[in-house]
Amino acid sequence: MKKLFKSLAIAGILGALMSPQAMASGDGPKNAKNYSFSFEGIFGTFDRAQLKRGFLVYQEVCAGCHGLKLVNYRNLAEPGGPEFTKTEAKAIAAEAEVNDGPNAEGEMFDRPGKLSDKFVSPYPNDEAAKAGNNGALPPDLSLITKSRSGWHGSLKSLYLYSLFNGSGGPEYITSLLAGYADDPHGEEKEGLNYNPYFTGNWIAMPSPLSDDGVEYADGTKATVEQQAKDVAVFLAWAAEPKMEERKKLGFMVLLYMLVFSVLLYLVKKAIWRNVKH
Amino acid sequence: MSGHSTNYEFKNPAVKWLDSRLPIFSLMKGQAMDFPTPKNLNYWWTFGGILAIMLVIQLISGIVLAMHYTPTADLAFNSVEHIMRDVNYGWLLRYMHANGASMFFIAVYIHIFRGMYYGSYKEPREVLWMIGVFIFIAMMATAFMGYVLPWGQMSFWGAKVITNLFSAIPFVGDSVVTWLWGGFNVADPTLNRFFSLHYLLPFVLAALVFLHIWALHIPGNNNPTGVEPKSGADTIPFHPYYTMKDLYAIVVFLMVMAAFMFFAPNYMGHADNYIPANPLVTPTHIVPEWYFLPFYAILRSVPDKLLGVIAMFSSLLILLVLPWLDSSKVRSGKYRPMFKWMFWIFVFDCLVLGVVGGNPAEGHWLIIGRIATFYYFLHFIILLPLVGLMEKPKPLPASISEDVLAKSDAKSS
């Protein structure tokens, strides 16, 4: 018990040291809004309908500039994802034009995409992407929710906050897409847009979403925030397509180990029963 | 107690035949089963076994990952994503290996602090302790190179910052760095050699672990009282008592690891490492993995680059002479009223250094970092030698058994 108190005291002092007041820093990006998503938590799974809506937003809005090059078209029909039927996924793939070759004559040729192809990026290379976007490079979105974090300054340093709320990547994407505003100081910058969630607050990408900018087949009202959430969830899946499998397996593994450890404890206790220690 | 094992008469004729020619069965029986072990070891002593298992987990998961990984600058990042997305259970292997490294360090830090608290480094276990320090350094080198392999932004810039430290060496610094990089920047040759060394070092580590266990089996285990076993009543055979206790602790420890692996696999990593390495874009804060943060804080709290590097390496190497810095004849911190406080302040100081290392070296973080760095060295160089002479230790129990009996009497009355 004494030891427990001691460790609690230490944890308390450390906690105080890392409290928000102690950590106040300059004006960085704003913390993302902590949206709640269906895939959070130990048993969290993706909402299939939401993934399909998010895919639509990606396809109709983002894909013009942003690639998704680590994802294959076949992934769209795999379990744990949007779970399009194979026919639907094939049709989606076929809309893309894939440069293939060389053929028997040594020529490169274009053909419709197949399930085994990776998502075709909108630009052939980074230079072309920059040239088409005033010198700014639209990042590939395959890992965007894992490579960005939503919590900064005081929230980020509260290590327990990230343990229970994740890195805030999907929250950041949602907040950013739905967070365009006018600069509070009334400033305007050529080719840049004010967004409090972006590092430095000025982002090259103009606000991409608008109310009813896409038409959802399932009747969901396509507000900016709804589209932002949907596409963030779709990108969260694109970054971590094995998430559902991982959580399912993890639960079984922990359950097994829990039972195993109880048995081991009882065996250990039985073996040690005659030893004073 | 000695490492010497007498040949045991085995009944199985095949075993007997082999054992009379190469006594591996006698050795196993003497060292892994009958080995007399103090009967009062607490759960802090299970971390040795936990570390052995962690090394095996890292070796196996790492060898399989290497079958799918491509160590070239153009392909490394995507090959890791290929493992995550397309290799059967590749995500499991990679998260096991990445979180395994963190858990390995959690275990080794507990193991080191346990040794410090109970004075396990003192005579006659100095060499055992020193081999342990070399294991720790080899682990750090291995982990550092491993973190470079995914070739993300933190991989690249972490590698650049750490290798650049060698440029502080007078006269030859820049040449040394060029030699380490295999070029004029961290690039393809750097990644190639880091992969090669990352594969090699764990086997060096395994050899050092063998020496560590050998050196342990000469004097035998220290124990919470710090009093050497006096008679057979103080010890019990390693098997089945400690094999079962260790196994239980290992499974509990692996449950913590599994919880991270399956439910928060990127918690101990850094988001920036999911951005492919880009030599032209510097991340806003370059931060090493969490287990290097205390040493990183020491490096940055010294204003001069060369002195900072010296301070950082000294903070590690000072552990080698710890057995001679501590002037107290009493081993266990349990019987040392002043040292006990000092120990916990030191642990706290290391945690503070860790927090400082994760924050930008400016403002109050710089000040806290300098105080904590100063205290780190003060603890070893001034306080440890002095307190040993000043404090009046509590009376030691005559033997382990006496201590155990006194405790169980107190419990039952």
Side-chain angles (χ1 to χ4, degrees):
Chain A
M1 264 329 253
K2 220 173 127 192
K3 267 186 200 142
L4 183 73
F5 282 127
K6 207 174 272 165
S7 13
L8 282 178
I10 289 168
I13 300 169
L14 254 195
L17 192 82
M18 298 183 301
S19 69
Q21 288 85 348
M23 302 279 309
S25 54
D27 41 328
K30 207 170 148 186
N31 277 311
K33 283 186 195 160
N34 195 353
Y35 292 99
S36 58
F37 295 112
S38 67
F39 60 82
E40 291 171 340
I42 293 175
F43 300 106
T45 53
F46 291 112
D47 175 346
R48 310 282 159 233
Q50 190 171 29
L51 283 178
K52 284 181 183 163
R53 292 199 302 270
F55 171 69
L56 184 74
V57 176
Y58 168 75
Q59 196 76 328
E60 294 197 354
V61 183
C62 317
C65 302
H66 295 276
L68 199 64
K69 62 181 179 193
L70 297 174
V71 181
N72 291 76
Y73 291 109
R74 65 179 155 81
N75 296 138
L76 293 171
E78 280 167 4
E83 300 188 358
F84 285 105
T85 62
K86 218 168 181 175
T87 329
E88 286 169 330
K90 264 185 189 158
I92 292 166
E95 284 171 28
E97 202 170 73
V98 176
N99 191 256
D100 202 351
N103 61 15
E105 281 81 44
E107 305 290 333
M108 301 302 283
F109 59 93
D110 285 335
R111 59 160 176 82
K114 293 185 286 193
L115 283 179
S116 56
D117 287 319
K118 292 199 184 304
F119 270 65
V120 177
S121 297
Y123 299 101
N125 52 57
D126 285 358
E127 283 65 29
K130 279 186 196 163
N133 289 282
N134 281 329
L137 177 68
D140 186 89
L141 298 182
S142 310
L143 285 165
I144 201 78
T145 60
K146 278 164 92 176
S147 60
R148 300 289 186 279
S149 50
W151 329 126
H152 313 280
S154 53
L155 269 191
K156 193 186 172 186
S157 340
L158 295 173
Y159 300 125
L160 283 178
Y161 192 82
S162 322
L163 185 57
F164 294 107
N165 293 280
S167 68
E171 286 86 349
Y172 166 76
I173 298 299
T174 315
S175 301
L176 182 91
L177 290 176
Y180 281 86
D182 291 328
D183 176 39
H185 310 295
E187 207 180 321
E188 279 185 31
K189 290 189 184 179
E190 177 67 29
L192 290 174
N193 306 277
Y194 180 78
N195 193 316
Y197 299 100
F198 189 69
T199 311
N201 296 161
W202 292 93
I203 183 168
M205 175 172 73
S207 176
L209 302 175
S210 57
D211 285 330
D212 298 315
V214 297
E215 198 180 321
Y216 286 140
D218 63 0
T220 307
K221 195 163 167 18
T223 60
V224 166
E225 194 174 53
Q226 185 64 45
Q227 293 174 59
K229 273 192 210 168
D230 292 347
V231 78
V233 170
F234 172 73
L235 292 174
W237 165 78
E240 191 76 18
K242 301 296 171 75
M243 188 212 72
E244 289 190 15
E245 186 188 358
R246 163 162 64 79
K247 287 181 177 175
K248 249 181 254 166
L249 182 65
F251 177 72
M252 297 311 284
V253 166
L254 272 172
L255 195 68
Y256 174 88
M257 289 175 96
L258 186 70
V259 174
F260 188 36
S261 67
V262 170
L263 292 176
L264 281 173
Y265 179 71
L266 295 174
V267 171
K268 182 249 158 194
K269 228 178 128 180
I271 289 172
W272 280 76
R273 73 191 175 280
N274 291 328
V275 182
K276 282 205 167 135
H277 60 282
Chain B
M1 289 305 284
S2 80
H4 182 76
S5 56
T6 47
N7 278 25
Y8 175 85
E9 279 297 306
F10 289 97
K11 289 195 185 74
N12 183 313
V15 171
K16 200 172 167 177
W17 183 89
L18 179 61
D19 199 67
S20 59
R21 284 154 184 84
L22 181 71
I24 43 171
F25 291 104
S26 297
L27 185 83
M28 290 302 287
K29 193 164 179 354
Q31 299 300 315
M33 294 175 75
D34 298 342
F35 190 70
T37 313
K39 62 184 185 179
N40 60 338
L41 300 186
N42 56 33
Y43 275 102
W44 298 117
W45 258 266
T46 59
F47 282 89
I50 288 169
L51 283 163
I53 291 294
M54 285 315 300
L55 179 60
V56 173
I57 289 177
Q58 291 303 85
L59 274 167
I60 294 175
S61 58
I63 287 169
V64 182
L65 283 172
M67 296 174 190
H68 300 280
Y69 170 77
T70 315
T72 56
D74 289 341
L75 301 172
F77 187 90
N78 284 353
S79 78
V80 171
E81 279 304 314
H82 159 72
I83 290 170
M84 292 294 288
R85 290 159 191 267
D86 300 329
V87 173
N88 291 333
Y89 291 103
W91 58 269
L92 179 68
L93 281 167
R94 174 166 177 254
Y95 280 154
M96 188 186 288
H97 200 69
N99 286 283
S102 280
M103 297 307 288
F104 207 161
F105 275 93
I106 290 176
V108 90
Y109 281 128
I110 295 175
H111 192 63
I112 292 171
F113 280 126
R114 190 271 288 153
M116 286 183 170
Y117 183 78
Y118 292 109
S120 299
Y121 48 82
K122 290 187 191 182
E123 207 236 315
R125 296 183 183 82
E126 300 97 323
V127 172
L128 168 61
W129 171 263
M130 288 164 80
I131 296 170
V133 177
F134 287 122
I135 291 176
F136 179 44
I137 294 171
M139 255 179 84
M140 292 175 92
T142 312
F144 162 66
M145 290 188 219
Y147 194 68
V148 176
L149 304 186
W151 210 240
Q153 273 291 66
M154 278 299 163
S155 297
F156 179 89
W157 290 96
K160 186 147 181 169
V161 168
I162 302 298
T163 46
N164 241 325
L165 295 180
F166 292 93
S167 71
I169 303 171
F171 308 115
V172 292
D174 288 334
S175 313
V176 169
V177 172
T178 307
W179 177 71
L180 285 174
W181 286 345
F184 298 102
N185 197 352
V186 173
D188 205 42
T190 327
L191 177 60
N192 267 291
R193 63 190 57 189
F194 276 20
F195 177 59
S196 172
L197 293 173
H198 183 71
Y199 206 109
L200 168 73
L201 278 179
F203 296 99
V204 175
L205 211 55
L208 286 169
V209 168
F210 175 77
L211 291 179
H212 194 59
I213 296 173
W214 189 2
L216 167 71
H217 278 232
I218 301 304
N221 289 82
N222 182 28
N223 67 82
T225 66
V227 176
E228 293 292 332
K230 299 260 160 68
S231 67
D234 289 344
T235 62
I236 42 177
F238 188 75
H239 179 76
Y241 294 101
Y242 284 110
T243 42
M244 282 318 292
K245 188 174 178 176
D246 282 358
L247 189 59
Y248 166 60
I250 286 165
V251 171
V252 172
F253 186 82
L254 292 182
M255 280 170 75
V256 179
M257 172 168 160
F260 277 111
M261 259 173 66
F262 290 109
F263 302 120
N266 295 304
Y267 177 66
M268 293 188 278
H270 200 289
D272 277 36
N273 225 26
Y274 280 109
I275 304 172
N278 185 347
L280 301 175
V281 179
T282 320
T284 28
H285 297 303
I286 303 172
V287 192
E289 303 96 293
W290 68 266
Y291 36 83
F292 292 146
L293 291 178
F295 302 100
Y296 193 53
I298 291 175
L299 169 78
R300 295 189 308 174
S301 57
V302 181
D304 181 80
K305 189 177 177 185
L306 178 62
L307 290 179
V309 173
I310 292 174
M312 185 183 73
F313 283 110
S314 311
S315 67
L316 273 173
L317 296 175
I318 201 165
L319 293 171
L320 284 174
V321 289
L322 175 59
W324 295 277
L325 289 173
D326 187 347
S327 58
S328 174
K329 291 276 167 287
V330 176
R331 269 202 204 99
S332 172
K334 262 172 88 175
Y335 305 101
R336 300 185 56 192
M338 284 170 81
F339 169 82
K340 210 188 235 178
W341 276 102
M342 252 175 61
F343 171 81
W344 286 111
I345 295 170
F346 177 71
V347 172
F348 178 68
D349 188 60
C350 291
L351 293 174
V352 169
L353 280 171
V355 175
V356 171
N359 281 286
E362 55 198 29
H364 61 276
W365 288 119
L366 195 60
I367 301 163
I368 298 174
R370 285 186 178 156
I371 297 170
T373 300
F374 179 74
Y375 186 82
Y376 184 95
F377 288 104
L378 184 81
H379 173 87
F380 285 109
I381 298 171
I382 311 283
L383 296 181
L384 267 181
L386 223 59
V387 164
L389 302 174
M390 281 161 54
E391 80 182 339
K392 190 176 176 308
K394 289 188 206 161
L396 295 179
S399 70
I400 293 171
S401 293
E402 191 199 90
D403 183 61
V404 165
L405 285 175
K407 248 189 243 153
S408 57
D409 286 350
K411 246 184 226 164
S412 54
S413 66

